[in-house]
Amino acid sequence: MTARTSASAATAADGGPEASGAVAGPLGVGPDDLPDGLVVADEDGRVICFNAAAARITGIAAPDALGRPVGDALPLQDLEGRRWWQLTDPYGGLAIRRGQPERNLLLGGREVLVSARYVRSRPAGPVRRLVIALRGTEARRRTELSHAELIATVAHELRSPLTSVKGFTATLLQKWERFTDDQKRLMLETVDADANRVTRLIAELLDISRIDSGRLEVRRQRVDMIAAVRRHVQAQTTAGQRPDRFLIRMMEPLPDLWADPDKVDQVLGNLLENAVRHGDGTVTIEVGPVKDTSGGKGTSVTVSDEGPGIPEESMSRVFTRFWRGSKRGGTGLGLYIVKGIVEAHGGTITVGRAPAGGAQFRFSLPVAAPAFLA
């Protein structure tokens, strides 16, 4: 990437590529093609490049910045109101410094994320170029808001079962002799159910942490998908659902599937529970072979219900955090985790409208290879 002189760049009145002070290099990519703000100052500290993203983030037009001292073009301050350029002194500080890590700074009352790189002609030599990267704070604010919402949700979901556990255990310890065996059993069963609820919530939080950091481990073993589906349907009927509410359709033969059986159970359990809780009528589970766009084999599972379905405007948000299909409880984290698990296997998951009008979830997992061959 080559930089034009600030004088010629400042004459680019039409705001085209030259207005940023630089042109595209051999790869055909110029500063204005970058998603982040880019500001470059020469050995004298004058701005020679100010791309379109920098103008958008700072609210400063490129011609107004080009040719000016970088400290005047970007009057940055730290959160305590101190002038950042005087604190860092890129041209007169220690010659062994290579730059500044990203930090939150103020520019004309707005917050920007700023990092800097000192380009030297030789080790410990004078700074030849000062390269500054700028980013808006919107993404960080969204992340912080998401974390705050997660903490609030977890606190709310933990409060109810822990209050129940604390109340029943304290009552039993203080008045054990006053209760009959049936009363004691009922209270202990309630404590056990609430403890399971807390355990599930903690497991969800751990899964979210691993998904977000890309550390979700998949321990592949041979999985009999049809047997897994039948097992989950049996669990639903044992829990009180009518056996005739579930319809299993199998299209055999299925290819050998190597996946993490515990995580496959987690996906199936979540989708069936959602269909039972939020849907109506018959819950249909279809299992069959599938081929991806490259011809690779896999197994697909479709879970459909006959309820009201999911509104079209909500389809794009189904797999995001805290989305709830109704007000019937839940943390809104289950489908986010399901999507993370499926994608960790190299599969895909989609949501749509079932033929009977309800919601339809379909996920596909590739055949893959066993863990000892991966």
Side-chain angles (χ1 to χ4, degrees):
M1 184 183 301
T2 59
R4 294 186 184 273
T5 64
S6 57
S8 62
T11 61
D14 61 352
E18 291 187 356
S20 66
V23 296
L27 297 179
V29 177
D32 289 343
D33 298 317
L34 300 178
D36 293 336
L38 174 67
V39 180
V40 180
D42 61 13
E43 61 272 14
D44 298 321
R46 294 187 176 276
V47 176
I48 59 174
C49 177
F50 200 91
N51 73 346
R56 184 186 70 251
I57 293 169
T58 63
I60 300 171
D64 294 337
L66 292 167
R68 298 179 61 192
V70 67
D72 295 338
L74 288 178
L76 296 166
Q77 296 179 333
D78 64 13
L79 299 183
E80 297 179 3
R82 298 173 297 183
R83 295 183 179 180
W84 192 62
W85 297 113
Q86 293 182 357
L87 293 175
T88 57
D89 192 13
Y91 291 94
L94 295 175
I96 59 173
R97 294 182 306 167
R98 302 179 63 182
Q100 295 290 333
E102 185 177 75
R103 63 191 66 198
N104 200 10
L105 298 176
L106 299 175
L107 179 65
R110 70 174 69 190
E111 294 185 7
V112 290
L113 299 173
V114 182
S115 59
R117 175 77 173 179
Y118 303 158
V119 180
R120 303 179 185 276
S121 56
R122 63 180 185 279
V127 173
R128 184 171 59 88
R129 291 288 186 271
L130 174 62
V131 182
I132 305 147
L134 305 173
R135 291 198 300 134
T137 58
E138 293 81 6
R140 176 170 291 187
R141 288 187 183 280
R142 286 194 297 268
T143 301
E144 292 174 349
L145 181 61
S146 177
H147 288 167
E149 191 173 359
L150 177 61
I151 292 172
T153 300
V154 171
H156 175 77
E157 292 293 326
L158 285 176
R159 182 182 299 138
S160 177
L162 289 179
T163 299
S164 173
V165 169
K166 176 62 177 175
F168 278 122
T169 53
T171 301
L172 286 171
L173 288 172
Q174 293 173 8
K175 304 176 181 180
W176 179 268
E177 301 297 335
R178 299 185 184 182
F179 296 106
T180 65
D181 288 346
D182 289 341
Q183 290 173 326
K184 293 173 184 177
R185 175 178 293 276
L186 177 60
M187 284 190 271
L188 289 175
E189 287 176 348
T190 304
V191 169
D192 182 63
D194 286 334
N196 288 336
R197 182 177 167 186
V198 172
T199 301
R200 286 196 301 271
L201 180 58
I202 293 173
E204 287 182 345
L205 294 176
L206 291 174
D207 286 336
I208 288 175
S209 174
R210 296 186 182 110
I211 290 170
D212 288 346
S213 62
R215 294 185 292 106
L216 186 66
E217 294 185 4
V218 175
R219 303 182 184 276
R220 297 185 185 273
Q221 302 176 34
R222 192 177 184 280
V223 173
D224 186 340
M225 187 64 79
I226 293 177
V229 168
R230 286 174 172 163
R231 186 171 62 252
H232 281 275
V233 170
Q234 180 64 40
Q236 289 290 336
T237 58
T238 302
Q241 295 295 324
R242 303 188 321 274
D244 61 355
R245 189 178 179 187
F246 300 94
L247 174 62
I248 301 176
R249 293 175 178 168
M250 298 170 291
M251 291 172 280
E252 298 183 276
L254 294 176
D256 288 341
L257 176 66
W258 295 87
D260 190 316
D262 292 335
K263 291 181 172 56
V264 169
D265 281 341
Q266 195 172 350
V267 172
L268 290 173
N270 192 291
L271 294 181
L272 280 177
E273 183 178 346
N274 275 354
V276 169
R277 178 186 297 177
H278 304 293
D280 296 319
T282 301
V283 176
T284 303
I285 306 100
E286 299 179 2
V287 184
V290 68
K291 288 187 177 182
D292 59 24
T293 54
S294 61
K297 295 181 179 180
T299 298
S300 71
V301 178
T302 305
V303 179
S304 309
D305 64 68
E306 299 176 347
I310 300 171
E312 290 292 335
E313 62 271 15
S314 298
M315 290 287 189
S316 61
R317 297 187 290 110
V318 166
F319 297 109
T320 60
R321 290 185 186 181
F322 311 119
W323 184 85
R324 295 178 178 88
S326 71
K327 297 181 180 179
R328 302 181 191 176
T331 60
L333 300 174
L335 291 176
Y336 177 82
I337 295 172
V338 163
K339 183 174 184 289
I341 291 174
V342 171
E343 291 180 346
H345 281 80
T348 59
I349 184 168
T350 58
V351 61
R353 187 165 294 278
Q360 181 180 81
F361 289 88
R362 182 176 187 268
F363 71 92
S364 302
L365 300 179
V367 169
F372 59 84
L373 293 180

